[in-house]
Amino acid sequence: MAVAEDGRLLIGGTTDARVEILGADARESGSYLSPPIGAGSVADWGRVRWTYETPRGTAVRLWARSGNSDAPDDTWSDWVDFGAGD
């Protein structure tokens, strides 16, 4: 990730070798949903902690859920809201 001189955010990807260019203006809303991350066996992931910087009047929130199948299904937990970061 890098910030261009005009404030645009440049995000580079390795899997499909590309660069996404995001405008300098803040969005009203957005989300990122990651694919499931499998530990391969029962796991205790510990604490969730993160830091970030946001423009005034904006916020970042984190939700997560867990389960014992490769793909999310009815046996997975409900989403848990971890709130805003530090």
Side-chain angles (χ1 to χ4, degrees), residues 3-78:
V3 178
E5 289 182 12
D6 63 2
R8 294 179 303 158
L9 181 62
L10 310 173
I11 302 173
T14 58
T15 302
D16 54 359
R18 66 180 180 177
V19 173
E20 291 289 334
I21 302 172
L22 305 178
D25 297 331
R27 303 286 174 142
E28 186 172 313
S29 66
S31 63
Y32 173 75
L33 180 63
S34 77
I37 300 170
S41 64
V42 175
D44 181 359
W45 292 97
R47 291 185 171 184
V48 174
R49 225 181 340 169
W50 74 98
T51 59
Y52 60 91
E53 294 180 27
T54 60
R56 179 176 291 189
T58 64
V60 174
R61 296 191 74 84
L62 174 72
W63 285 266
R65 63 182 178 165
S66 62
N68 287 326
S69 59
D70 289 338
D73 60 21
D74 292 341
T75 65
W76 278 48
S77 70
D78 291 333

